[in-house]
Amino acid sequence: MKKLFILFLAVVVVVCSFSAAGAQGKKFGATYMTMNNPFFGVMNDAIKAAVEANGDTLITLDPALDAVKQISQIEDLVAQGVDAIFLNPVDWQAVAPGLMAAHEAGIPIINVDAAVYDEDYVACIVASDNLAAGQVCGEDMLKRLPKGGKAIILGHPTTKTGIDRIANFKKVVAENPQFTIAVEDSSEGQLEIAMPKMENIIQAHPDMAVVMCVNDPTARGVIQALKAADMKGVLIYGVDGSPDAKKAIKEGDMTGTAAQSPINIGKIGVEMAYKILAGEKVDKHIPVPVQLITIENVDQFGVDGWQ
C-alpha cells in the first residue's frame, strides 16, 4: 500500500510539472527603433494586450536608435528562447546580423511598421502604405499651393518607411516644376533633432512654402522652430496621425498628417505571429492603409487618441 501511495505521488508530481510548463505559455520579444516616440508605445501596448490575452508574455526592448544595440537585443532574445520576435529596425540594412541570428535559431520575425532590406529573413512585414503617405501629402500640397514654392524635406533615410514617404512626396514635386526642393535633410524622426535643424533652415530659406516631415514628432519640432521665428503661412505635413498632430491641425499650426494605425499594425502583427507559429502560411507583405487628416476632416478622427 505504501509503495502504491509513493507511486501515486510521483505521478502527481510529473503531471503537475507538465501542467506548470504548459501554463508558462509562449514568450515573444519586441524591439523597436526607439521608444522615444508615442507611436511605438501605442503599437507595443496593442501587441502586449493581444499576447497577454492568450496567456502569453512579451519582452519589450528599446535600442534608442542604436543599430548595434538592436542587433545585440535580437541576439539576446534568441538566447532567451523566445517563440517569435516583433521587429521595427533602427537601420533597415544594418540589422541583417540580427535577422540571420533569429533565422538560424528557427525563430520567426514579424517585421512591423518599417520593413527590413533582407526580406528573406523575416516571416512577414506588417506596415502602413508609406508610399501612399508621401503621395497624399504631396497631392494636398498641390491643392493648397497651386502656384508652387520652395519645399523643405526632413526625412529619415536609414529606414524604409522614411525612404518611401519621402520618395513619393519628391515624385509629386518632380512632376510639378512650380515646386523646388530647397533642402533635404534627416531628422531621424526626432523632435529634438528636427527643431535645431529647422532653425538653421529658416535662416537660409525664410521664403519656404512647405515642409514635408517624415513623421509627426519631426513636424512638432518644425512647428516649434517656426513659432519661435514668428513665421506663419508655411504648410507643414507629417505622418502618423498622432493626437498631438491632430490637435496642431485643429489649432491651425499644422496642415496635415497621413494617419497610420499603430493599434491595427500591432493587432495584425500578433495575428500573423500566431498563424506562423501554428504552421499556417501568411502573405509576406501586409499593407495597412493610411488616410490624410486635415482641418477639413480632423473632427471625424478626434484629437484624444490614435486610430
Side-chain angles (χ1 to χ4, degrees):
M1 191 71 176
K2 187 175 181 181
K3 288 181 179 179
L4 286 174
F5 181 70
I6 292 171
L7 180 61
F8 171 75
L9 285 178
V11 170
V12 169
V13 168
V14 171
V15 170
C16 288
S17 297
F18 275 109
S19 298
Q24 289 177 3
K26 291 181 172 60
K27 183 164 61 175
F28 296 89
T31 171
Y32 310 94
M33 65 175 73
T34 175
M35 295 305 285
N36 186 31
N37 182 339
F39 181 89
F40 296 118
V42 172
M43 184 190 299
N44 186 70
D45 288 345
I47 291 173
K48 185 177 181 182
V51 163
E52 291 183 349
N54 287 307
D56 300 325
T57 58
L58 177 70
I59 302 166
T60 302
L61 303 172
D62 178 9
L65 294 173
D66 186 330
V68 174
K69 186 176 181 180
Q70 186 169 57
I71 292 167
S72 178
Q73 289 177 346
I74 295 171
E75 292 170 345
D76 182 52
L77 290 169
V78 169
Q80 292 186 54
V82 297
D83 293 279
I85 297 171
F86 299 99
L87 169 69
N88 173 268
V90 172
D91 186 309
W92 77 312
Q93 291 181 308
V95 74
L99 302 181
M100 287 185 273
H103 182 74
E104 289 172 4
I107 297 172
I109 287 181
I110 294 84
N111 192 182
V112 291
D113 177 61
V116 299
Y117 181 79
D118 299 293
E119 294 185 3
D120 290 344
Y121 291 105
V122 299
C124 73
I125 302 166
V126 182
S128 298
D129 187 341
N130 287 293
L131 287 169
Q135 185 80 25
V136 295
C137 290
E139 290 172 352
D140 189 77
M141 173 189 70
L142 293 179
K143 294 175 186 176
R144 297 179 193 276
L145 285 177
K147 293 183 179 180
K150 281 187 178 181
I152 308 298
I153 293 174
L154 288 177
H156 192 180
T158 60
T159 65
K160 188 64 165 61
T161 51
I163 291 169
D164 286 351
R165 291 170 191 175
I166 299 308
N168 263 22
F169 180 82
K170 288 171 68 175
K171 182 181 176 184
V172 172
V173 171
E175 292 170 351
N176 294 273
Q178 69 271 35
F179 288 93
T180 57
I181 297 173
V183 176
E184 183 174 359
D185 204 344
S186 174
S187 68
E188 297 183 33
Q190 302 296 299
L191 183 157
E192 297 82 1
I193 296 174
M195 187 175 175
K197 286 200 173 183
M198 195 63 201
E199 289 170 346
N200 291 333
I201 292 169
I202 289 169
Q203 298 300 316
H205 301 280
D207 57 342
M208 72 182 79
V210 58
V211 184
M212 176 63 200
C213 305
V214 72
N215 63 3
D216 287 347
T218 296
R220 287 169 55 208
V222 168
I223 290 168
Q224 290 182 25
L226 289 173
K227 280 189 171 183
D230 196 27
M231 283 185 65
K232 297 180 175 67
V234 178
L235 302 188
I236 303 170
Y237 293 96
V239 180
D240 279 341
S242 67
D244 284 341
K246 289 184 286 188
K247 287 175 187 174
I249 289 169
K250 193 167 178 64
E251 293 168 1
D253 293 328
M254 188 171 169
T255 311
T257 178
Q260 305 188 83
S261 177
I263 296 171
N264 286 334
I265 292 173
K267 287 180 177 178
I268 294 169
V270 172
E271 181 185 347
M272 294 304 106
Y274 281 108
K275 284 185 176 182
I276 291 162
L277 292 175
E280 295 182 39
K281 188 175 181 179
V282 302
D283 292 338
K284 176 70 94 174
H285 292 270
I286 302 172
V288 181
V290 299
Q291 184 172 354
L292 185 68
I293 298 177
T294 64
I295 191 64
E296 287 82 8
N297 64 357
V298 67
D299 288 335
Q300 298 173 23
F301 292 85
V303 298
D304 295 326
W306 289 81
Q307 298 66 241

